[in-house]
Amino acid sequence: MKQRIAALLICTLFLAGCTAPSPAPAPEVKLPAQTPQDTPRPEEEDDPSAGQGEETQSEADALSARADEIVSAMTAEEKAGALFIVPISGTALSEKERARMERCHFTNVILFARNIGTREEVRALTGQIRAFSEQRSGLPAIIGIDQEGGTVTRLDGVGSSFPPAMAMAAGNDADAVRRAGEITGEELAWFGINMDFAPDADLNTNPANPVIGVRSFGDNPDAAAMICAFAQGLQEGGVLATVKHFPGHGDTQTDSHKGLPVVEKTLDQLAACELIPFRRAIEAGVDAVMTTHILFPKIEADGVPATMSDAILTGLLRETLGFDGMIVTDSMEMAAIAEHYGVEAGTVAAVCAGADLIIAPSDAAKQESAYEAVLQAVRTGEISGERLDAAARSVVLARLCIAARESAARTPDFAANAEEAVQCAVRSATLLSGDWRAPSGRVLVLSPEGKRVSVSGGGSFGAACAQRLAFDQMTVDSSPTQAQIDSAVQKAGGYDAVLIAATGTGCAKLAAAVGQKNAAVSVFLFGSPYAAARYAGVASVVCFYDYSSTTVEGAVRMLEEGGAPAGTLPVSPV
């Protein structure tokens, strides 16, 4: 642990420390030997702090000792409150929220889209949270956010929005992915946000997965390189990186926000696939790991999800994989926990299992009841004093690391960053079927509007093409009506080419009908590549992975510049 802190102090990376005393032994979990493709390269095995000198190690020792001092002086109530990171309601900290945070000794806050106003408002909000935390505890708060890119983008409109993970991976450039992480980290740090619940380390092995999809960097263990690159970039940018959702949410057909998924895989099967990105990220020094609310009955005998499992969090993650950073839960208000176990019982079980930081529900009453449940469990001994101290120490050490490096935050060049995000989208363009021929002559674009789409030269892909490329456009729904399909078919015969912007499978009927009238139909798929099978028979399908302003701008830019799709599909076609 101290070596990891030493590396932080040298590289100005923000690495969270290990918990203090080890918790009680968990059921033994043994991983198979590493497979050849999973064997770390020699440079990955190097100790990042080797040869850095006694001065840095002394600073690391001091930071570690300071964490011990702080925890030893905290009351049980303060330690219990330190384990939570809580949502708030608006763009400023209200008096009711301040009062509740005082009662429950909360200082850490997670931000969502509802908390994001202008750039100045975001900085003012994080300043309020930090000031409150320092007044109450003498330490900066952990201020977290989900800023993955693509559809999971909380700072849309005020920060640079990169395409989703699968699009980044399609660009096939690990350094560009690292740079995307670095830009994201720099901007978050400037906003006063010091923890990103990203990257998503799930391998999307199930094409029917309803919640991961393009949030994943791929469906095989090779994606670990891109996952580690993005995490490295975040840390270089100045924020805490979190790989999620351990031990893997990629092979499910149930969204844990809405239900309780079950993964029927053995440990050997997980070790050969899902665990590889997590193991590689841990070896590379990732700061935090987020748990998943999924049942793994073949490795967890007690019938509880990973978030509540001692065998998975302590046995597998801590003892077998050797992770010594901070373990964070996914939100405890998700249906997988709230509806099946209850927020309070689930929270207590998560802490007992080895979780350090609990993402609390948005509901104020549930925040308080979860805190009271933890405190009561401490008083009765259900949560041991040793486990409470270990979790509190992990959180305190992370906050000390924040304090040690906050002055290094850089002022972002938002315009240059936005351009890098667009270039990432251009590189992501992936030819999924057919032969690419740039549309020329008289071109008709059939395009949906999109609430997140606002590109230079127009409010949608079609509008931008009309203004910047002199294409004709017709607006259709994401699942066009029969009247829209009939109108498009009537128009299509008079054009040299037709370009359909699809956000999923909804335009399949439109594409088939227009293809009967015009052979030069291309589909730009602004969504999951798994939808491509529904567009068989068109001249070409090109995937851009999401329908955001950044990605649509990248698609228009590729057409303007006469480029061709050069991305590599990171998942197996269906």
Side-chain angles (χ1 to χ4, degrees), residues 292-433:
T292 187
H293 306 327
I294 294 178
L295 292 171
F296 292 86
K298 294 186 178 178
I299 63 171
E300 166 49 64
D302 293 335
V304 293
T307 294
M308 299 164 59
S309 169
D310 182 66
I312 293 176
L313 300 193
T314 298
L316 178 56
L317 182 54
R318 287 281 190 219
E319 296 175 358
T320 304
L321 294 181
F323 180 61
D324 67 354
M326 188 162 57
I327 298 178
V328 186
T329 71
D330 209 340
S331 173
M332 301 303 284
E333 71 182 354
M334 293 163 60
I337 298 294
E339 294 181 7
H340 292 265
Y341 303 94
V343 170
E344 297 81 3
T347 297
V348 170
V351 175
C352 289
D356 304 313
L357 189 65
I358 307 292
I359 298 183
S362 296
D363 182 78
K366 285 293 183 182
Q367 291 177 14
E368 293 202 49
S369 63
Y371 164 76
E372 291 294 342
V374 169
L375 196 55
Q376 181 62 20
V378 170
R379 290 167 178 160
T380 63
E382 183 179 1
I383 297 175
S384 69
E386 182 182 41
R387 173 83 273 273
L388 179 66
D389 285 352
R393 187 184 187 280
S394 182
V395 175
V396 166
L397 188 52
R399 293 167 68 187
L400 285 171
C401 290
I402 294 170
R405 50 93 32 230
E406 272 192 328
S407 61
R410 301 181 285 268
T411 301
D413 184 339
F414 285 103
N417 291 349
E419 177 59 25
E420 289 204 45
V422 169
Q423 290 304 318
C424 183
V426 172
R427 289 190 297 271
S428 78
T430 306
L431 182 64
L432 299 183
S433 66

Side-chain angles (χ1 to χ4, degrees), residues 444 446 474 481-492 510:
L444 173 65
L446 305 175
M474 173 183 167
T481 64
Q482 188 60 51
Q484 290 173 337
I485 292 172
D486 292 343
S487 178
V489 168
Q490 187 176 10
K491 288 185 176 185
L510 170 69

Side-chain angles (χ1 to χ4, degrees), residues 64-221:
S64 183
R66 179 60 180 145
D68 290 335
E69 290 175 7
I70 291 171
V71 172
S72 66
M74 293 170 71
T75 65
E77 291 79 6
E78 289 168 336
K79 292 172 188 175
L83 307 190
F84 290 86
I85 183 165
V86 299
I88 57 175
S89 60
T91 57
L93 200 58
S94 71
E95 289 305 314
K96 285 186 177 180
E97 287 165 338
R98 288 175 184 269
R100 181 170 62 257
M101 291 170 74
E102 287 181 3
R103 285 194 304 274
C104 299
H105 302 276
F106 297 150
T107 53
N108 308 309
V109 173
I110 178 172
L111 302 181
F112 292 92
R114 64 177 178 266
N115 307 122
I116 306 305
T118 64
R119 289 175 183 169
E120 293 73 19
E121 286 173 331
V122 176
R123 282 169 62 88
L125 173 59
T126 59
Q128 289 175 348
I129 296 166
R130 180 191 169 104
F132 174 86
S133 177
E134 290 185 338
Q135 181 185 20
R136 298 288 301 174
S137 67
L139 293 171
I142 296 175
I143 304 176
I145 200 166
D146 290 286
Q147 187 75 3
E148 299 176 14
T151 56
V152 185
T153 298
R154 310 300 189 209
L155 293 172
D156 201 24
V158 297
S160 300
S161 297
F162 278 83
M166 196 173 288
M168 291 189 232
N172 205 27
D173 185 339
D175 189 63
V177 173
R178 182 206 59 78
R179 178 62 182 148
E182 183 180 21
I183 288 172
T184 301
E186 286 180 355
E187 292 189 359
L188 291 176
W190 183 81
F191 280 116
I193 299 164
N194 48 49
M195 183 172 193
D196 193 4
F197 297 119
D200 193 315
D202 301 311
L203 300 179
N204 198 69
T205 56
N206 188 338
N209 195 313
V211 67
I212 302 300
V214 297
R215 297 169 62 191
S216 169
F217 282 89
D219 64 359
N220 70 78

